[in-house]
Amino acid sequence: MDEVVDRYLRRSDAFARTAATVPGTGWDGPTPCGDWTVGDLVTHVAEMNTIHLGRAGAPPPAVPRVTEDPLGGWGAIQQQVRAALTDPEVAGARIGGRLGDWTYAEVVDRAIGMELVVHHWDLARALGWRARIDPADIDHLWHTIELVGEDEVRFGFGPAVPPPPAADEQARLLAHLGRHDDGR
């Protein structure tokens, strides 16, 4: 379980640090996620973290609005998710659904993990940053895609787009998830 906790904290810390850099006027800015604003994107990822807590039987945390206090909001979410992952009853709770009969820990490591990594890339791009995904996360996300299946990937991320010529593994993954990675 330590590996799942560590991976979750690394991914959510990166997301939180990036969200904390959004300027006050930047929350209404566009993202690579269709009609979502930066605020919509950050709120969505926070909500996905807390929704699954409730499904596993843990009370969802009372958190500050992440668009008003990104670090405070993410800190509260991380504390609750970490506590849930280190509680064998909650971590092992089966929370079936569209993704199958997964435990809470598997949902965090797979579905929430994908949300954190891909939407971190989206957020960084929305802020004009060069966005690189850790190669270990790329491998982990490909494995998750295999587990959830194409229908679920399309439901969550939309249609695939052609990867650019000479695409690296990150660009291929992002194209599969409907994003254009021009290497910036």
Side-chain angles (χ1 to χ4, degrees):
M1 191 57 62
D2 289 344
E3 183 179 335
V4 172
V5 172
D6 291 345
R7 194 168 22 244
Y8 170 78
L9 291 174
R10 178 178 54 79
R11 291 168 171 174
S12 61
D13 281 345
F15 192 92
R17 283 191 310 273
T18 302
T21 69
V22 175
T25 58
W27 293 105
D28 291 328
T31 70
C33 298
D35 294 336
W36 281 2
T37 66
V38 169
D40 295 336
L41 175 77
V42 172
T43 299
H44 164 76
V45 176
E47 288 173 350
M48 290 293 89
N49 277 255
T50 58
I51 285 169
H52 293 295
L53 279 166
R55 293 180 65 217
V63 298
R65 287 178 43 103
V66 293
T67 55
E68 293 171 9
D69 182 5
L71 290 178
W74 277 103
I77 291 167
Q78 287 176 318
Q79 183 178 27
Q80 185 74 17
V81 171
R82 173 187 256 170
L85 288 172
T86 57
D87 178 332
E89 259 186 61
V90 178
R94 296 271 173 205
I95 58 170
R98 287 191 338 255
L99 298 175
D101 186 29
W102 289 359
T103 65
Y104 173 72
E106 290 169 329
V107 168
V108 169
D109 199 38
R110 297 170 183 167
I112 297 300
M114 183 173 282
E115 293 267 336
L116 286 165
V117 171
V118 176
H119 288 319
H120 180 252
W121 183 89
D122 293 330
L123 179 59
R125 293 300 306 187
L127 295 172
W129 297 7
R130 182 173 188 267
R132 296 302 301 167
I133 298 173
D134 184 310
D137 285 334
I138 292 171
D139 291 342
H140 196 262
L141 267 56
W142 277 121
H143 179 68
T144 298
I145 289 168
E146 289 173 18
L147 290 171
V148 301
E150 282 302 308
D151 289 344
E152 194 60 36
V153 170
R154 296 302 138 232
F155 176 80
F157 292 98
V161 297
D168 65 6
E169 197 61 21
Q170 173 176 306
R172 281 192 290 282
L173 172 70
L174 290 166
H176 188 76
L177 298 173
R179 283 139 175 87
H180 297 279
D181 182 13
D182 59 10
R184 289 189 295 138

